[in-house]
Amino acid sequence: MDLSLIVSNILNPPILFFFLGMTAVFVKSDLEIPAPIPKLFSLYLLFAIGFKGGVELIKSGVTQEVVLTLAAAMMMACVVPIYTFFILKWKLDTYDAAAIAATYGSISAVTFITASAFLTELGIAFDGYMVAALALMESPAIIVGLILVNIFTTDGKQEFSWPEVLREAFLNSSVFLLVGSLLIGVLTGERGGKVLEPFTQGLFYGVLTFFLLDMGLVAARRIKDLQKTGVFLILFAILIPIVNAGIGLAIAKFIGMPRGDSLLFAVLCASASYIAVPAAMRMTVPEANPSLYVSTALAVTFPFNIIVGIPLYLYGINLFWS
């Protein structure tokens, strides 16, 4: 593997600020970011990526490649939680296995945004409709996870409020803002894109950098939770993203996606949710242990993907796409 890709990724300001946040926790600095600011920045990132994706989608149009890509995204969001559930069942009970499987079936918008910035840095083009794939992959894993709990609980009588589950899956703030921004981008097109360009382009990289500083603080604080999970879940949180990215790349090659889109699709398949799915699982599957599904996604898979995973997946693309 070309180590220069990893070095190039690590030496990006957002990644270095992620390490700075982790370092602050390890050396017991009193660095704190007031709670409303990361929330505001996460909403900004979802708005900006959704809006820009809508503008780019209307430029590219709904082609056969777009339809195939979105169908593949939906398929992966449903298949990943099923096969990972049976791997996790080997060591965990049904509740924890289903919650972690749902987490890895969904996606991390921040990992996607970091991969987009990495591609931009390298001058590799990608299509805006990949944001639509991001939006489509956010929710199905929640539904699949709950179905698995319903089927495999011992008494088989786990009761859910399905209207609440569906509301949380499709109308939670991140999905709602992302899809809404995408639709507004589609409706306003290139003219709307130029009007908001100073806000969606000029500020984007700086906001991402500051947001990753906060993510570094949060991830470092979660590392101690891994002591409870043991080696099995740590290996799971590293190996499953690689497997999922490999499957994603095989699908991307079969469909004929270009390099930039292929990397983003692989990153979507490899990432794990630490916002939408944990929120849904805490409400609907309280028996599952949050320290397992949050710490593996946030303290292991997220740093692995942004430091090693993204360059690794691009290396695979460079190897087989040439």
Side-chain angles (χ1 to χ4, degrees):
M1 177 180 173
D2 187 356
L3 291 179
S4 65
L5 284 176
I6 294 180
V7 173
S8 171
N9 189 38
I10 290 176
L11 292 182
N12 269 323
I15 305 300
L16 290 176
F17 272 89
F18 177 81
F19 284 126
L20 183 64
M22 295 189 80
T23 303
V25 174
F26 295 147
V27 300
K28 302 187 186 310
S29 165
D30 61 353
L31 177 63
E32 289 282 349
I33 297 176
I37 294 177
K39 177 69 174 176
L40 174 64
F41 283 177
S42 70
L43 292 175
Y44 166 82
L45 291 171
L46 290 169
F47 148 75
I49 197 74
F51 181 78
K52 288 191 292 186
V55 172
E56 293 299 323
L57 179 61
I58 205 66
K59 281 184 190 174
S60 62
V62 181
T63 62
Q64 182 183 11
E65 182 184 325
V66 173
V67 173
L68 288 174
T69 300
L70 298 185
M74 289 286 288
M75 182 193 73
M76 286 297 288
C78 294
V79 169
V80 169
I82 294 174
Y83 97 83
T84 53
F85 172 78
F86 290 104
I87 294 174
L88 290 160
K89 274 282 284 176
W90 187 44
K91 289 283 187 181
L92 303 174
D93 64 30
T94 296
Y95 300 111
D96 287 331
I100 297 172
T103 300
Y104 281 81
S106 188
I107 52 86
S108 158
V110 180
T111 310
F112 178 89
I113 293 167
T114 307
S116 304
F118 180 63
L119 287 172
T120 303
E121 185 81 13
L122 294 178
I124 300 175
F126 55 92
D127 289 301
Y129 67 78
M130 292 306 297
V131 178
L134 165 76
L136 285 175
M137 292 179 77
E138 180 98 59
S139 301
I142 297 173
I143 308 298
V144 174
L146 295 179
I147 291 172
L148 290 169
V149 170
N150 206 25
I151 292 173
F152 289 95
T153 44
T154 305
D155 56 12
K157 295 178 181 177
Q158 180 76 13
E159 295 290 341
F160 300 114
S161 170
W162 283 105
E164 278 298 308
V165 170
L166 295 174
R167 190 189 68 78
E168 184 63 28
F170 294 105
L171 294 180
N172 70 73
S173 60
S174 57
V175 175
F176 185 81
L177 179 59
L178 185 66
V179 174
S181 301
L182 182 77
L183 292 175
I184 291 172
V186 168
L187 289 173
T188 57
E190 201 167 351
R191 183 181 58 83
K194 286 183 179 174
V195 170
L196 288 181
E197 188 173 355
F199 189 61
T200 57
Q201 301 279 5
L203 294 176
F204 186 84
Y205 209 64
V207 172
L208 173 63
T209 300
F210 202 85
F211 185 74
L212 283 180
L213 170 65
D214 179 67
M215 292 301 296
L217 291 168
V218 176
R221 289 173 187 143
R222 284 284 179 180
I223 281 181
K224 62 182 180 183
D225 293 337
L226 295 175
Q227 296 172 353
K228 307 171 189 172
T229 67
V231 176
F232 172 74
L233 274 185
I234 295 173
L235 288 176
F236 175 91
I238 293 173
L239 296 178
I240 289 299
I242 297 174
V243 172
N244 288 342
I247 298 171
L249 288 179
I251 294 172
K253 181 72 175 174
F254 179 74
I255 292 176
M257 290 186 205
R259 287 200 309 154
D261 294 353
S262 298
L263 178 67
L264 294 181
F265 186 67
V267 166
L268 287 174
C269 295
S271 64
S273 170
Y274 43 82
I275 299 175
V277 173
M281 289 296 122
R282 288 188 72 172
M283 179 187 74
T284 54
V285 190
E287 298 87 351
N289 183 352
S291 70
L292 299 183
Y293 55 80
V294 175
S295 59
T296 49
L298 186 55
V300 181
T301 299
F302 175 68
F304 172 78
N305 272 330
I306 65 168
I307 296 167
V308 178
I310 293 172
L312 177 66
Y313 311 146
L314 183 59
Y315 173 75
I317 291 168
N318 289 337
L319 204 60
F320 293 105
W321 264 245
S322 58

